[in-house]
Structures are given as structure tokens and as C-alpha cells.
Amino acid sequence: MTKTLLVFDIDDTLTQSAAIHIECFIKSLNELGVEKMDTNFGGYLHHTDSYVAKTIYEKELWQTFTEDLKSKFEKLLSDQMAEREIKEVPGAALFVKEAMKSKSVAVCFATGSLRRPAVQKLKAIGVSFKNELLVASDQLQKRESIVKRAISKAKKHYGVTDFYRIISIGDGLWDLKTANNLGLEFVGVGLKNRGLIEENGCSKWFENFEELSIKDLMR
């Protein structure tokens, strides 16, 4: 059976973590010597940790954000996240687990977060996953590139040349725009950005995963 692929964002889609992530992100840059920054993160060209951290660091300190610095920043961010309690978006963990059991559904994760914090978030809500099915922003700065690689890895993992449908599930305008740019279906989750993503063409939206079932997505 040809499967439908679900591509999950993580922050504020599966985990209630966007605000926590931003707080830890800022503190980690502070520890690297960045004293001020533009915290309108939605206004950056690419909404990913790797791009935003590099852009801020190089603008404020006039130094190259090297691979070693990125690794140090990722560890600082991970250590900060480890001190916080991460909760799931209601119903998220059960929904993902049921999707993984379904014979008609494939699952992968694509996030603008760096990898170590992303892994921490999924583990915090009890979601197990194959390493190759999580693509973060460690090596990629564009969200479209992250999602495309996640889809490519999912094809290899599930042994298919294509999927019957590909549905991106996210909470933010950047998730919707990425899906549109790649020609994917999109399902919105969460209250925070509902109005904004609906204004920009999102026609399928749910408050959380307790309102959503696999059958709903197959319609």
C-alpha cells in the first residue's frame, strides 16, 4: 500500500516549547558574548536556529560563526533546554504513536531547531523515532531544504519512490509558507497563530491533537 507521509514540525506543534526555546536561544547567544539582538525571529529570512544564530552572531560581533561555534551554541542551547519542563500539545504523543502504527501512514519530523534540543523535546513527551526520520537545521538553513531532506529520508526508510500524499503539520506561518512553496498539503495546529495562517490560506486547522484523528487527515 502506498502511504501518506505526515511531516511534523515540533515546537508548538507537538511540544509546548516555542517560548521556552526562544528564551534558551537568547541566553545561549548571550553566553557566546552577544549582548543585544533583534528578537523578532519571524522577521529573519530563514526561520531556523542555524540561520538566525549565525546572522545575529556575525552582525553583532563581526566574527565568523564557525562550525565549532555552532556546536558550542547547540550544546549551550541543549543544556538550557534540559533545565526546562517540556509538555506536549494535548494528544500529540498518542497521535504520533497511532500514526506510526498505521499501515497507511508514514511519519517524519522536520524542524528549524538544532538537532540536540529537538531530540530532547520529542523524548520529553515520550515520542520514539528513528534517527534518520528527524531532520533539523544543523546542516541546513532553509526550512524548505529541511522538509525536502526529511521527505527524501522518509522515502528511503519506508522503501518507496513516492508517497500517495504528503501532509505537512505545523503551527506557524513559516510552516504554511514552506508547505506551499513545496506543493504540500498543510494542516494547522494550535491557537497562537490560527488567525494568521487562516488569513494566508490555511483551510484545515485543529486546536490540538485531541480534536484530530488519522481518519480526519485521510479525508
Side-chain angles (χ1 to χ4, degrees):
M1 178 183 292
T2 304
K3 295 176 179 287
T4 292
L5 176 64
L6 306 183
V7 183
F8 289 98
D9 173 50
I10 297 176
D11 288 295
D12 278 10
T13 297
L14 298 176
T15 59
Q16 299 180 48
S17 54
I20 295 171
H21 187 99
I22 289 171
E23 179 186 348
C24 295
F25 184 96
I26 293 171
K27 287 186 177 180
S28 298
L29 278 176
N30 290 158
E31 291 192 40
L32 290 181
V34 178
E35 296 181 355
K36 63 178 182 177
M37 67 192 78
D38 179 1
T39 56
N40 177 26
F41 297 118
Y44 286 81
L45 179 60
H46 302 302
H47 196 79
T48 60
D49 280 359
S50 56
Y51 178 82
V52 176
K54 175 181 172 66
T55 300
I56 291 173
Y57 185 89
E58 293 184 350
K59 178 179 182 291
E60 298 300 330
L61 297 184
W62 290 47
Q63 297 176 22
T64 301
F65 193 67
T66 63
E67 287 297 313
D68 285 344
L69 274 170
K70 184 171 69 176
S71 295
K72 184 176 181 180
F73 174 74
E74 183 175 15
K75 184 180 185 304
L76 288 169
L77 183 55
S78 177
D79 289 347
Q80 289 278 349
M81 293 295 300
E83 298 176 0
R84 308 302 200 275
E85 180 183 8
I86 304 297
K87 298 180 180 180
E88 71 169 343
V89 170
L94 179 59
F95 184 90
V96 173
K97 290 173 185 177
E98 289 180 346
M100 288 178 170
K101 292 178 182 178
S102 172
K103 294 181 179 180
S104 61
V105 175
V107 170
C108 66
F109 306 90
T111 177
S113 167
L114 289 168
R115 185 175 186 86
R116 286 176 62 173
V119 170
Q120 287 172 284
K121 293 163 194 169
L122 291 178
K123 287 185 175 181
I125 65 170
V127 170
S128 300
F129 57 94
K130 299 292 184 181
N131 286 332
E132 64 268 24
L133 294 178
L134 168 60
V135 178
S137 72
D138 300 65
Q139 303 301 321
L140 301 167
Q141 294 185 357
K142 293 178 62 176
R143 292 186 75 94
E144 286 85 355
S145 299
I146 292 169
V147 173
K148 285 173 69 175
R149 183 170 293 182
I151 293 170
S152 178
K153 285 180 172 288
K155 287 178 180 178
K156 183 176 181 180
H157 177 82
Y158 288 100
V160 300
T161 56
D162 210 346
F163 291 101
Y164 174 61
R165 294 166 66 191
I166 301 177
I167 304 173
S168 173
I169 303 176
D171 71 290
L173 180 59
W174 42 89
D175 298 314
L176 174 61
K177 287 183 174 180
T178 299
N180 288 342
N181 290 341
L182 296 177
L184 309 178
E185 296 180 50
F186 180 78
V187 172
V189 176
L191 290 171
K192 183 178 178 181
N193 298 309
R194 178 186 179 182
L196 185 59
I197 62 176
E198 286 185 331
E199 287 173 7
N200 282 270
C202 175
S203 59
K204 188 175 287 189
W205 171 90
F206 297 88
E207 181 175 343
N208 55 53
F209 289 93
E210 291 179 343
E211 292 188 351
L212 182 58
S213 70
I214 300 300
K215 289 183 178 179
D216 290 328
L217 293 181
M218 297 300 104
R219 294 170 183 166

